[in-house]
Amino acid sequence: MSPVPPTIAHTMKPFVSNTPALVYQFELHADGRVAFPYLSEGCAALLGLSAAELQAEPGRFIELILPEDRKSYLDAMHASAASLSGWNWEGRVWIHEYKDQKWINLRSTPRAMPDHPGSVHWEGLMTNITASKLEQLEVTRSRARLAELAAHMEHVKEQERTRIAREIHDDLGGNLTAIKMALMMLTQRLPPDQPQLAERAAYVDALVDRTIDAVHRISLDLRPSMLDFGIVAALEWQVKEFEKQNGIACSFACPDKDIDLHLDHATALFRIFQEALTNIAKHAHASRVGVRLQLLRQHIVLTIADNGAGIALADRQKPQSFGLRGMSERAQALGGTMALADAPGGGTVVSIKIKLSSARARIMADETHEHDSAGPHTPAPLAPRRPAPTETSKKQQ
């Protein structure tokens, strides 16, 4: 190993003395040998080895790197050497002298060594990034905990909605039905010479009917019973309800009728779908909506396309866009993703992709392999509607 010319060390000294990092030169020779021609005085503070020790045994540096990080270090080094592009790597080292683990960042610029064909020379900096890395990891963990808490709160909220919906449907619905039957018996016993009483009874009967309808509607809003029939039936029902309530033509397509999704996941996906339709009704000014649910290998993909005004990028990033943010977070809680794109010819395409995490997913993927060859499909808002579910399938249990 040839020493660094004194002129280079002399030139670098003013810079090195004011740099709180390890300034180094590193060489990788064609036969695999490595060398550190130059190491600044920061070597001992950063790595627990003096510059002389590391120069005498350059192989000790990779021994400092934790075993699980060595592959990424070597991959980054060889990639930089092959393309003569910048080497930027961060990983963990174990400092034996301090019995401590550090995160370090390595940034260097390579150049070929004309006198040694196949060899590469780097010059760069190693810095201690432990504090910032630990802060970054803590932020990541905090976000993960917040996501878990949000998912748990959504789960608890759905359970509470289910409980309230059942109590409303069973208790209030049962009581209202009993009131209606009792009112019918009383009406039959009213004296015929007092028509005003019959008129009041008819008014109360109509009021009871309206209340029964309200109970039915509220319980459906809290927790649609169609989810008990599966995600396909629930989405198909919601499409028809959306079309009836908003007067916007809406089509639904699902080539895979037997999609077996866990109830919690089905409920979360259904809520994302409801929020997407709500956004369309409020903001899109669309006249047609196309919905497609399909199974692609071990993923379920739900795509909603409209022919409305679209969503500007600035609107997607607005701090108050809680609807879009909630949809995205629900998808992430399912281990999936949500993507927004402009629809061909105008409008917006919302795509939700979640993974089927069960053996059932593999069976379903094999059974529907023929659908995979066509790739993901964006529904056209002008696609013809599928037949609506029968009234029997919609009847509340």
Side-chain angles (χ1 to χ4, degrees), residues 103-117:
W103 280 89
I104 63 170
N105 176 255
L106 179 156
R107 290 176 181 267
S108 57
T109 303
R111 59 179 173 83
M113 301 172 64
D115 297 337
H116 303 277

Side-chain angles (χ1 to χ4, degrees), residues 127-297:
T127 53
N128 184 353
I129 61 169
T130 303
S132 61
K133 193 67 179 180
L134 292 179
E135 290 175 359
Q136 179 184 341
L137 291 174
E138 181 57 31
V139 169
T140 301
R141 283 193 291 266
S142 297
R143 287 177 177 174
R145 288 194 292 266
L146 285 174
E148 290 176 0
L149 177 61
H152 174 70
M153 291 176 65
E154 287 294 336
H155 178 68
V156 171
K157 184 163 52 173
E158 289 296 341
Q159 286 183 322
E160 187 67 7
R161 282 177 171 174
T162 300
R163 183 188 66 80
I164 294 173
R166 285 175 179 165
E167 287 186 2
I168 289 175
H169 183 271
D170 296 344
D171 295 346
L172 290 182
N175 290 341
L176 287 169
T177 301
I179 290 172
K180 186 174 178 64
M181 293 175 64
L183 183 61
M184 184 183 303
M185 293 176 61
L186 289 174
T187 302
Q188 293 173 351
R189 297 180 181 182
L190 289 176
D193 58 343
Q194 299 186 23
Q196 67 276 14
L197 293 179
E199 184 178 330
R200 295 299 297 172
Y203 169 76
V204 174
D205 185 64
L207 185 60
V208 170
D209 286 339
R210 289 198 300 272
T211 307
I212 290 175
D213 290 339
V215 166
H216 182 72
R217 186 189 70 254
I218 292 170
S219 63
L220 278 179
D221 288 342
L222 285 169
R223 202 269 180 184
S225 61
M226 289 299 292
L227 282 167
D228 295 332
F229 296 97
I231 186 62
V232 177
L235 295 184
E236 202 163 10
W237 170 81
Q238 184 63 62
V239 162
K240 185 176 181 182
E241 288 294 303
F242 173 80
E243 186 173 50
K244 181 172 65 176
Q245 293 171 7
N246 297 280
I248 300 174
C250 193
S251 64
F252 178 75
C254 180
D256 313 291
K257 289 298 184 182
D258 187 23
I259 295 181
D260 186 11
L261 194 60
H262 189 277
L263 182 58
D264 288 344
H265 288 189
T267 302
L269 184 60
F270 183 80
R271 295 302 184 193
I272 296 173
F273 181 58
Q274 282 186 316
E275 184 63 36
L277 292 183
T278 299
N279 287 340
I280 291 172
K282 286 183 177 180
H283 310 295
H285 306 292
S287 60
R288 291 186 181 274
V289 178
V291 181
R292 184 178 179 87
L293 181 70
Q294 60 187 138
L295 182 68
L296 296 177
R297 298 188 180 276

Side-chain angles (χ1 to χ4, degrees), residues 65 123 166 173-174 176 212 277 292 324 361 365 373 378 394 397:
I65 300 174
E123 294 176 347
R166 285 175 179 165
L176 287 169
I212 290 175
L277 292 183
R292 184 178 179 87
L324 293 176
S373 58
T378 299
K394 298 189 299 178
Q397 300 301 313

Side-chain angles (χ1 to χ4, degrees), residues 327-341:
M327 291 165 61
S328 179
E329 289 182 358
R330 281 181 185 268
Q332 290 175 13
L334 295 174
T337 58
M338 188 196 80
L340 292 174

